[in-house]
């Protein structure tokens, strides 16, 4: 059984920081590119960032580039999302994803999803 479990969400003021974690189990972690998506109230789920299997390659949505940083630790089966300079528009449920597809950023291409962790940025 594959599980992706996110943690680290919460309430933060504008300009603050949070670090999300995603621990994977039931899959060979190092063979999967990992990613983060988010879904704000009343909005469709959108791509945030992707990281390659080795961790050497990343791709960010324009809305978070320069503020968010994704990393992974294959020895711990964990991917992280460091979020700095948070804005109210970052408020969303953040989902960890795994996919064997390369360079895929559409939600339909993801093989596995976590249940999500809520990030709320107050104005």
């Amino acid at each position: 059984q594959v599980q992706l479990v996110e943690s680290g969400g919460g309430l933060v003021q504008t300009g603050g920081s949070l670090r999300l974690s995603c621990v994977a189990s039931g899959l060979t972690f190092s063979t999967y590119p990992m990613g983060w998506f988010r879904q704000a109230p009343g909005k469709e789920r959108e791509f945030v960032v992707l990281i390659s299997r080795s961790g050497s390659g990343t791709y960010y949505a324009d809305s978070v580039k320069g503020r968010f940083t994704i990393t992974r630790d294959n020895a711990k089966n964990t991917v992280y999302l460091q979020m700095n300079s948070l804005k109210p528009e970052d408020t969303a449920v953040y989902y960890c994803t795994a996919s064997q597809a390369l360079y895929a950023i559409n939600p339909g291409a993801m093989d596995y999803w976590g249940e999500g962790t809520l990030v709320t940025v107050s104005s």
Side-chain angles (χ1 to χ4, degrees):
Q1 184 180 13
V2 174
Q3 281 193 299
L4 305 177
V5 181
E6 304 98 332
S7 62
L11 175 64
V12 66
Q13 299 288 334
T14 297
S17 298
L18 286 173
R19 189 173 81 152
L20 307 183
S21 298
C22 172
V23 179
S25 61
L27 79 171
T28 305
F29 183 75
S30 62
T31 68
Y32 284 83
M34 301 293 294
W36 291 91
F37 287 71
R38 67 186 183 185
Q39 188 165 23
K43 304 291 185 179
E44 292 197 346
R45 196 164 297 187
E46 67 172 352
F47 167 78
V48 177
V49 63
L50 180 73
I51 188 167
S52 65
R53 290 169 291 180
S54 68
S56 62
T58 57
Y59 180 72
Y60 295 86
D62 288 343
S63 59
V64 306
K65 191 174 183 179
R67 299 188 298 119
F68 291 11
T69 303
I70 188 171
T71 56
R72 68 189 294 163
D73 187 340
N74 286 347
K76 296 182 178 179
N77 286 5
T78 303
V79 61
Y80 305 93
L81 184 65
Q82 178 67 47
M83 305 183 296
N84 298 326
S85 302
L86 284 162
K87 306 174 182 179
E89 50 262 48
D90 295 318
T91 295
V93 176
Y94 283 73
Y95 298 91
C96 179
T97 67
S99 176
Q100 295 194 57
L102 270 61
Y103 304 108
I105 62 172
N106 55 306
M110 303 297 107
D111 294 325
Y112 303 106
W113 294 82
E115 292 187 358
T117 185
L118 177 63
V119 172
T120 302
V121 184
S122 65
S123 59

